[in-house]
Every structure is written in structure tokens, then in C-alpha cells.
Amino acid sequence: MTGSIPPELGNLSHTLSNIDLNNNQLTGTIPRTFITIPFIDEFLFHAKNGLCAPSDDEFQGWLQRVDSWSGEICEPNVSIEQLSSIPTDFVLHGNYPNPFQESTSLRFDLPYNAHISVDLVDITGRVVYQLSPVSIQAGWEREIQLRNLSLPPGMYLYRLTVDDYVGKVMHTRSFIKVR
């Protein structure tokens, strides 16, 4: 195999027990989604051809819990500034403040440029607010502000739809509007 490891491989967290990436021409960073794989017996890779394990504490902690792993921790051939400027995975941090009265901000890390839209849904499943798609650049701590929401107090779901070069992905969380 050649190229980078697809981050979606980490989505196989309940079916994946062994990973052997030896004897391949893989390059890049091992996706951070691998830390969602709770029970893995063996993880083998060699960094000689440019495949790197993230050196951050969280990923290294996951590697330490793996029963049998071999490979070297290496730094990718990019600067620290480049590594820190764009995340490797989409992460929805939630909204702040929560609960809120008039406005709240939805915060997330975005690993690629995307169009993002927001739907607010009440507890009956009815869409009560829609924000048209906005173009957002890749980066850490991106945010969409929802202001002057004239909604009655209560619990709501917000659905963030991320439309990028791969397709559409929805992320849903809840928040509470107070008086």
C-alpha cells in the first residue's frame, strides 16, 4: 500500500484487534482516530518509509496501552508551526455558554476547508432554526456564533452539517436555552 492511512480506519474500533502496517510504502502521520480503538492486541509499523506516530501525550498513552507494538516515534517532515496550524481530525467541542440566554458559539476543530450549515431542532424533531452554509477555513477552534435566538426556553439539538470534498457528515449535540 502507498499513501497515507485513511482516518476512517479508526472508525472500526469495535472490529479491529490487530494492525500490521509493515512492508508497505505508507507515508504521513498515523491518524489520531486510532486512539478510539479500545482493545487492540498488536500494532506493528515501521517509520522507515515516512510513516510517523504522533508524538503527543494522548497518542503515546494509547500506544503504551497496546499489548504488543513495534515501531519508532518519528516527527513528520513538517515544521511545528505547520503541524499546529491544521488539526488532523474533526472535533466538535460543543457550544459555549451552555445553558445560554440569547447567544451561544459552536466550537470545533476543522482539518479541511468546508461549507458548514446548522439546524436547530426542538424535542419534537421540528427544525426551528436554520443557518445557511458558511465557508470555513481549516484550523483549530473554529466557531459559528448563533445570536439573538428567539426560541422559548428548553432543550434543543443542533445539527452541524459539514460538506467537504468527501461528502456530507452530520454532528449532533444538545444545548439548553434559558430565560
Side-chain angles (χ1 to χ4, degrees), residues 45-107:
F45 74 96
H46 288 293
K48 293 176 186 172
N49 292 327
L51 186 63
C52 303
S55 60
D56 64 273
D57 292 340
E58 185 179 19
F59 195 89
Q60 291 302 307
W62 175 80
L63 276 178
Q64 295 301 322
R65 291 189 300 274
V66 174
D67 291 334
S68 172
W69 73 275
S70 69
E72 298 176 21
I73 307 306
C74 65
E75 294 296 325
N77 294 327
V78 294
S79 69
I80 297 297
E81 293 80 21
Q82 289 171 311
L83 280 176
S84 62
S85 65
I86 299 177
T88 57
D89 298 310
F90 180 91
V91 176
L92 179 58
H93 296 291
N95 67 297
Y96 181 81
N98 188 19
F100 69 95
Q101 288 182 337
E102 294 299 321
S103 63
T104 189
S105 294
L106 311 179
R107 296 182 179 170

Side-chain angles (χ1 to χ4, degrees), residues 4 6-8 87-88 110-115 138 162-169:
S4 61
E8 294 80 10
T88 57
L110 190 62
Y112 38 75
N113 297 341
H115 292 89
V162 181
D163 189 3
D164 64 11
Y165 62 94
V166 176
K168 290 185 180 187
V169 178

Side-chain angles (χ1 to χ4, degrees), residues 92 94-95 97-102 104 106 118-130 146 149-160 171-179:
L92 179 58
N95 67 297
N98 188 19
F100 69 95
Q101 288 182 337
E102 294 299 321
T104 189
L106 311 179
V118 179
D119 295 325
L120 301 185
V121 181
D122 67 14
I123 58 172
T124 66
R126 185 173 50 107
V127 175
V128 294
Y129 177 86
Q130 288 184 307
L146 303 176
L149 296 175
S150 58
L151 302 171
M155 180 180 280
Y156 295 88
L157 295 176
Y158 61 89
R159 183 173 49 216
L160 209 72
H171 302 273
T172 304
R173 293 266 177 100
S174 63
F175 60 55
I176 298 174
K177 170 115 174 13
V178 295
R179 290 187 178 152

